[in-house]
Amino acid sequence: MWRLGNILLWNLMAAVILLGQARPNMKLNSQSRSGLRSDCVGNIMRLSLDKALAVGNELEVEAINGTRHVVLTPRLAAQCGYSMESDPWGNTRIYSSLLGCYVDNKDDQTFNVGLRLRMYGYAQSDVVTHDVMQTCSYTQWASREILCDRNYMEVSNRITTPDAKGHAQDVKDIDAIPDASGAAHGIWKLTFYTPEPVSMVLSEAQQAGYGAMVTSTRLVMQSPYNTAETYSEEVGGVPMEVFRVSAYYQAPHGLNVVNLAAACPTGGVLFINNVISWHVPQRVTLLLDGNFEVIEMHMGINGKRLHGSQMAARGYTLSTTRHHIVIDIPVGSPDGYFKSHAPDYQYHITYSVEPMLEVLWRTADTQDDTRYKVLFPITTPLMPQPPHFHENTVPEARVFSVLLGTFLHDVVLRNITFSTGVLTVEESNARGFSVQEHNYPNGTKSFSLSIPFDSDVVLKRNPDRLVTYYFLPLILGFIILPEETPFAHSVELQASLQNVELPTITGTCDQNQFYIGVKYGSQGHNFKAMVGPRELTAETAEEYNFQGNGTHFTLVLPYTAKDTSFELITSDSVRTRVDLVLLDPINNWVLSDLYLSCTFPFIATMCYPNGTMTAMAVKVESVPNLSPSRLTLKDQSCKPAFSDERSAYFSFSVDSCGTTRTFFEHYMLYENEIGLYYNKRVASTSPVDPEYRQTVSCYYVVNETQTIAFSSKPRRYEPTPEIGSGQLMVQMRLAQDSSYNLFYQAEDYPVVKYLRQPLYFEVELIESTDPNLELIVEKCWATLYDDRTALPRWDIIVDGCESPDDSHVTIFHPVVSDARVLVPSHIKRFSIKMFTFTKEEAVLKDEIYIHCDAVICDKNNHLDGLCRGQCVQPTHRLYSRPQEIKGVRRGQRGTDSTQQRQISSGPIVLSSDRTSE
């Protein structure tokens, strides 16, 4: 598996097969050595290409064979003894066997290796060419040399062909691989053992991907890994790829046979305690027969031997056991490199290194030497490397500070996801967040973030009245170069500060009102204000003369306000309390409160000379369930003349309602008592409620002489009653349907209706049972706002009849007497269809208000034409209406026959759920 990955690396070298003259605008740079380094390391030539030279380019490698250039495809490279290794950043090493196909071999002693590197930029016409020529000298050939490289196995045996005088001579060249130097000197047939024998002539073997040739003194074979004629076998617990062949070649004295064998490890790597331990069999039985001894044993990196001091400095060890040669390399040694990965979007790293093992064996019986050289790239399994964060937040500085790392140099922070959205690093710094990258000498890096507490990306809450809790959730988005593989890491930062300044409340009173001031705390107006039992809303704020700015607000409450509480009532005063509580809007903690009680002048009882007494009873806090309407005098038939939720008003004469009279020396005392007298038939009262008793008294002076006079004269006319005045109440309600049985209540508004859905209105004269009165709806109109005078407006009823300008005609509905309707003349009903105001086909607002003017008429007086009845004009009347001229008003009706009332209803909101017509 190690080998397969390295074979694929050749795709970086030779993706396109082209000769030199096929590319235009070529720049020949054979003299430049910037970023190129070549050297000889034993029986191979090594060429290093710096990433600064190769980055961003497509690399193509050609072998130089005299005047011809041959593009090295991955297949041809494995067949001819060439390999390449490249890290993810473009650092590249190219290896050439000195016995490669296209090497200029001088008597197996001097070797001229030529390579041409073509680097194509983003534009295919932009080509830079580097020619590399390296001469290597190598004379320490063993009887057999085995080379295990990434993508091929090579074995060469020494051969001699003596002439008639006993001197060695070369066999004649027979070209088999086109343009290859010294190719296939007389090789006739090859027999591969798989382990079953498979025979091929030379051309068939070359078509199968094998390389074979005879040099001056050696017969050489190269084979890729995992071919049909190679096989795997385990030696000493280490898997090996085996290549065995018998080569038949023609010599002057006849046909010779050379048995060749190579076995290259494909495994044997262990990872123990952050150490790479590579095991190679000490005795490869496939290669060695009989007794042998190890003459030399060397370790190297990237094809080059290391001295003992170099190994010690790096922590490398080369040792032997009974069965193995063992090389130990610490993970992270300087000769390898780390790489970042993100499987399943989680951060991992690997470490890659390429050790070399070189062993020289000598057999005891033949004294033949075997040099065994293995280049073995190793990459560790994925190692999880979850980032660690170190929080440096000092809450008093009010800044979140965190350091996240460490990462390898190929990791880039791309963006940060906050609770409010995603920002790039540049956008984050532009917002005032400090996002910095820190690089360390060992090639790692970390990232620091500083984000103020007051930023909108920081979430805040208060677990306690005085403590603010700050919470910053982050998702940091990274990419790994050069693949741009994404991964993310979540971080949650927390801090708390006891920094809350609570709001404060002050209050005073005068003779009639409470004056309350609230100063905001450190969190501004972030609280809920409760005035008595009600929350301070926009409506109640207006009711209580709210005035405020960014630091405080004030309220002015009459002592009789709805949200005050009566604590104690006397004959001349009342003690009233107002409660103001400021609550946390989330947890309902009491942030501040004020309970202010004041005594105000109050006349509870009035005594009149004509013997009439009036008394006012109020609902005091000690009797919370008191219903003032159920209070009575001693005579329980004497009930309040008026009552509401908080008070009851009584008016009675001193000689009624159970009033007692007591004489004293100079005055008389009339006394009664207001109380709640339980009646078993009344379900709403309970004897467990506290008693309510309020004594009312009047003192009259006695024995006082008053002079009065009386005279009379004949009268000319019978006396007539004095005309008094009173209030007649009119209400307008919106019915839920045409039956007019159910009506929308105040809490139902705004009422939502569809376009052209009927709206059923009822206008009623209430609190009157006089059958001589009749209610007439004079006019009705619609506006966008609750202001009756607002513009624009649309007339619905004009002069008691439907508007002639309305295409959707108003319909009047008859009213008959029933269980609810006692006097039909007191009620008028009409309906219209829901509409909206538009301008140039655009809806101005999706709600309307309906306003009406109603007239109360005396049925016995028809002087006013409108009082003749609702819409009694002839049907053939002219549908025109007088224009209202500024400065001109309609004539007022006589007060003896009519009373005018103004009423409104709304808002009614248009629903968007149904398609408008």
Side-chain angles (χ1 to χ4, degrees):
M1 294 303 294
W2 299 106
R3 300 297 177 181
L4 180 59
N6 286 293
I7 293 172
L8 296 178
L9 288 174
W10 275 94
N11 291 324
L12 299 174
M13 285 177 55
V16 183
I17 303 175
L18 292 171
L19 295 179
Q21 63 268 25
R23 293 284 184 175
N25 302 326
M26 184 179 298
K27 301 176 184 177
L28 188 61
N29 189 10
S30 59
Q31 303 301 319
S32 174
R33 286 295 182 266
S34 176
L36 289 173
R37 296 175 304 279
S38 60
D39 57 354
C40 303
V41 284
N43 58 355
I44 58 177
M45 189 279 291
R46 181 177 65 175
L47 172 63
S48 298
L49 178 65
D50 190 83
K51 66 179 180 180
L53 189 63
V55 66
N57 296 315
E58 178 185 343
L59 176 64
E60 182 181 270
V61 182
E62 297 176 353
I64 300 177
N65 182 34
T67 60
R68 303 290 301 274
H69 297 158
V70 179
V71 176
L72 292 175
T73 65
R75 187 177 188 275
L76 186 58
Q79 185 177 10
C80 286
Y82 294 90
S83 68
M84 185 182 79
E85 187 271 337
S86 180
D87 68 21
W89 303 279
N91 297 299
T92 303
R93 285 185 299 274
I94 301 172
Y95 297 89
S96 172
S97 168
L98 296 185
L99 297 178
C101 299
Y102 303 108
V103 176
D104 181 16
N105 185 341
K106 302 296 184 182
D107 299 326
D108 289 335
Q109 294 183 1
T110 303
F111 306 87
N112 297 313
V113 183
L115 295 174
R116 170 166 287 183
L117 308 180
R118 296 174 183 265
M119 284 170 283
Y120 299 99
Y122 292 108
Q124 287 295 307
S125 61
D126 185 12
V127 183
V128 176
T129 301
H130 296 272
D131 284 354
V132 178
M133 302 300 296
Q134 179 69 44
T135 299
C136 295
S137 177
Y138 185 71
T139 59
Q140 299 176 353
W141 292 104
S143 301
R144 177 173 57 178
E145 298 242 351
I146 299 173
L147 174 62
C148 300
D149 207 339
R150 297 158 192 76
N151 56 328
Y152 69 93
M153 299 177 285
E154 177 184 279
V155 58
S156 68
N157 279 26
R158 181 186 298 122
I159 60 172
T160 58
T161 54
D163 58 13
K165 297 181 179 180
H167 298 102
Q169 71 174 25
D170 295 342
V171 295
K172 301 297 182 180
D173 290 352
I174 300 176
D175 291 343
I177 298 177
D179 301 323
S181 62
H185 293 245
I187 295 177
W188 169 56
K189 185 178 73 171
L190 300 168
T191 299
F192 296 90
Y193 299 93
T194 62
E196 299 300 324
V198 177
S199 296
M200 303 180 188
V201 297
L202 179 61
S203 60
E204 292 174 334
Q206 290 173 337
Q207 289 177 358
Y210 300 100
M213 69 177 179
V214 177
T215 69
S216 300
T217 61
R218 309 188 73 80
L219 192 149
V220 186
M221 284 288 299
Q222 284 113 1
S223 170
Y225 289 89
N226 301 313
T227 68
E229 287 71 41
T230 62
Y231 62 94
S232 296
E233 185 170 322
E234 194 169 280
V235 179
V238 177
M240 310 281 283
E241 184 84 359
V242 181
F243 165 57
R244 294 175 57 202
V245 63
S246 294
Y248 299 83
Y249 69 98
Q250 183 69 40
H253 62 278
L255 188 67
N256 281 357
V257 178
V258 176
N259 294 320
L260 304 169
C264 294
T266 58
V269 179
L270 300 176
F271 303 97
I272 304 172
N273 296 328
N274 218 30
V275 173
I276 299 171
S277 186
W278 177 31
H279 293 67
V280 179
Q282 187 173 174
R283 178 188 181 94
V284 182
T285 56
L286 301 171
L287 305 177
L288 301 171
D289 293 327
N291 296 326
F292 69 94
E293 62 177 327
V294 176
I295 304 302
E296 296 178 10
M297 188 168 61
H298 304 280
M299 176 199 171
I301 292 291
N302 298 331
K304 187 174 182 179
R305 290 181 184 178
L306 295 177
H307 301 299
S309 59
Q310 294 173 314
M311 293 173 55
R314 292 167 169 80
Y316 303 155
T317 61
L318 174 62
S319 60
T320 59
T321 65
R322 181 178 178 184
H323 299 290
H324 296 93
I325 301 171
V326 181
I327 291 178
D328 288 332
I329 301 174
V331 172
S333 65
D335 294 311
Y337 64 88
F338 283 102
K339 182 72 182 74
S340 298
H341 307 271
D344 298 326
Y345 299 98
Q346 301 299 312
Y347 186 54
H348 293 68
I349 62 173
T350 58
Y351 175 75
S352 298
V353 67
E354 186 179 329
M356 180 194 76
L357 174 65
E358 187 176 342
V359 182
L360 182 63
W361 291 302
R362 178 172 294 167
T363 57
D365 52 352
T366 64
Q367 293 296 302
D368 288 334
D369 294 340
T370 298
R371 189 177 303 280
Y372 187 66
K373 188 173 186 176
V374 184
L375 305 179
F376 198 79
I378 299 173
T379 298
T380 65
L382 289 169
M383 297 179 286
Q385 196 79 3
H388 299 282
F389 75 93
H390 180 68
E391 188 171 358
N392 302 314
T393 301
V394 178
E396 289 71 21
R398 301 184 59 81
V399 175
F400 279 114
S401 180
V402 63
L403 184 68
L404 185 68
T406 57
F407 301 93
L408 297 182
H409 64 91
D410 56 354
V411 173
V412 175
L413 177 60
R414 178 62 59 87
N415 56 47
I416 306 174
T417 301
F418 298 97
S419 60
T420 56
V422 181
L423 297 177
T424 65
V425 172
E426 294 76 13
E427 291 171 336
S428 298
N429 284 315
R431 287 277 303 272
F433 311 150
S434 177
V435 183
Q436 303 295 328
E437 178 181 301
H438 305 274
N439 295 285
Y440 304 113
N442 64 357
T444 61
K445 64 172 63 173
S446 61
F447 300 92
S448 64
L449 290 82
S450 297
I451 300 174
F453 285 3
D454 297 329
S455 170
D456 61 349
V457 303
V458 178
L459 305 178
K460 306 174 185 67
R461 67 180 181 89
N462 294 95
D464 183 79
R465 292 194 314 161
L466 300 177
V467 176
T468 302
Y469 175 77
Y470 300 91
F471 178 62
L472 179 60
L474 302 171
I475 301 177
L476 291 89
F478 300 91
I479 61 168
I480 299 172
L481 298 177
E483 305 87 352
E484 295 195 356
T485 304
F487 72 96
H489 186 73
S490 299
V491 176
E492 293 184 353
L493 306 178
Q494 304 175 8
S496 61
L497 275 176
Q498 188 169 338
N499 63 343
V500 178
E501 180 184 345
L502 298 178
T504 56
I505 310 174
T506 58
T508 60
C509 309
D510 63 9
Q511 295 295 306
N512 298 292
Q513 300 180 114
F514 291 101
Y515 299 89
I516 298 175
V518 175
K519 182 182 178 182
Y520 300 156
S522 58
Q523 295 182 315
H525 195 192
N526 186 28
F527 54 76
K528 179 171 62 176
M530 302 296 297
V531 182
R534 288 197 302 165
E535 183 177 356
L536 184 64
T537 62
E539 292 76 14
T540 54
E542 182 178 359
E543 181 180 347
Y544 295 146
N545 194 25
F546 176 92
Q547 301 290 329
N549 55 29
T551 61
H552 69 280
F553 72 82
T554 60
L555 298 175
V556 179
L557 285 77
Y559 76 90
T560 57
K562 182 178 181 179
D563 298 312
T564 60
S565 299
F566 296 120
E567 293 184 322
L568 178 66
I569 185 171
T570 65
S571 60
D572 60 356
S573 66
V574 61
R575 189 173 72 206
T576 309
R577 190 186 76 251
V578 62
D579 302 338
L580 179 61
V581 181
L582 307 182
L583 301 175
D584 179 86
I586 299 176
N587 303 295
N588 268 353
W589 294 319
V590 177
L591 304 179
S592 186
D593 54 36
L594 174 71
Y595 302 94
L596 179 61
S597 293
C598 295
T599 300
F600 299 92
F602 180 75
I603 305 301
T605 305
M606 296 289 292
C607 306
Y608 295 93
N610 63 355
T612 299
M613 294 177 61
T614 62
M616 178 70 75
V618 296
K619 179 180 179 179
V620 292
E621 191 177 35
S622 59
V623 190
N625 296 323
L626 175 66
S627 176
S629 63
R630 300 199 177 275
L631 293 173
T632 66
L633 296 171
K634 287 183 178 179
D635 183 346
Q636 296 181 32
S637 64
C638 294
K639 298 181 179 180
F642 167 81
S643 65
D644 57 21
E645 295 179 352
R646 308 189 68 205
S647 63
Y649 176 77
F650 292 87
S651 180
F652 56 96
S653 62
V654 296
D655 58 354
S656 64
C657 298
T659 305
T660 62
R661 182 180 62 186
T662 305
F663 286 95
F664 294 92
E665 183 176 358
H666 299 294
Y667 58 89
M668 289 184 301
L669 172 64
Y670 289 92
E671 195 171 59
N672 208 321
E673 189 176 68
I674 301 173
L676 183 63
Y677 301 93
Y678 295 106
N679 188 332
K680 293 182 180 180
R681 293 175 297 176
V682 181
S684 62
T685 60
S686 170
V688 300
D689 290 333
E691 287 190 358
Y692 183 91
R693 293 288 186 268
Q694 179 179 336
T695 301
V696 293
S697 306
C698 278
Y699 295 86
Y700 289 91
V701 178
V702 297
N703 297 331
E704 181 179 5
T705 301
Q706 296 287 342
T707 301
I708 60 173
F710 174 80
S711 64
S712 65
K713 63 179 179 179
R715 59 189 178 189
R716 299 177 59 186
Y717 304 102
E718 289 295 323
T720 59
E722 180 182 354
I723 298 176
S725 62
Q727 292 293 325
L728 293 175
M729 305 298 291
V730 176
Q731 69 176 3
M732 179 166 67
R733 296 187 293 175
L734 177 61
Q736 296 186 14
D737 52 41
S738 59
S739 67
Y740 288 92
N741 289 326
L742 297 174
F743 295 87
Y744 293 104
Q745 305 301 315
E747 59 270 16
D748 298 327
Y749 284 88
V751 175
V752 179
K753 294 291 184 179
Y754 298 114
L755 188 65
R756 297 189 179 178
Q757 185 176 358
L759 306 177
Y760 298 97
F761 291 96
E762 179 180 276
V763 183
E764 180 183 7
L765 173 63
I766 59 176
E767 297 185 1
S768 175
T769 57
D770 188 348
N772 294 318
L773 299 180
E774 181 175 7
L775 176 72
I776 302 296
V777 179
E778 178 185 6
K779 55 184 177 182
C780 294
W781 64 97
T783 65
L784 290 173
Y785 307 99
D786 57 357
D787 184 0
R788 298 169 56 85
T789 63
L791 294 176
R793 60 178 276 173
W794 185 261
D795 290 331
I796 297 171
I797 296 176
V798 178
D799 295 332
C801 294
E802 60 270 23
S803 171
D805 296 334
D806 196 350
S807 59
H808 303 290
V809 178
T810 304
I811 300 175
F812 288 96
H813 298 278
V815 181
V816 297
S817 179
D818 56 24
R820 185 176 70 84
V821 179
L822 301 179
V823 184
S825 63
H826 289 186
I827 296 177
K828 289 296 183 288
R829 294 170 177 167
F830 66 91
S831 64
I832 62 173
K833 292 183 177 180
M834 181 62 186
F835 65 93
T836 60
F837 286 89
T838 62
K839 182 178 182 180
E840 297 178 355
E841 299 185 358
V843 176
L844 295 179
K845 196 176 181 184
D846 59 359
E847 64 182 28
I848 60 173
Y849 291 81
I850 305 300
H851 313 278
C852 289
D853 286 347
V855 176
I856 303 171
C857 297
D858 184 354
K859 284 186 176 181
N860 299 321
N861 190 340
H862 295 288
L863 296 178
D864 194 319
L866 191 63
C867 285
R868 292 182 297 167
Q870 191 76 55
C871 195
V872 298
Q873 289 87 342
T875 58
H876 61 275
R877 65 184 175 90
L878 179 63
Y879 282 96
S880 62
R881 46 186 293 209
Q883 298 296 321
E884 295 186 1
I885 304 173
K886 187 174 181 180
V888 178
R889 301 179 59 190
R890 296 180 183 272
Q892 298 295 317
R893 298 175 178 85
T895 58
D896 58 342
S897 61
T898 66
Q899 291 194 36
Q900 189 180 43
R901 296 290 181 267
Q902 296 178 339
I903 44 181
S904 298
S905 178
I908 305 170
V909 178
L910 175 66
S911 172
S912 59
D913 292 339
R914 182 177 296 178
T915 304
S916 301
E917 300 182 17

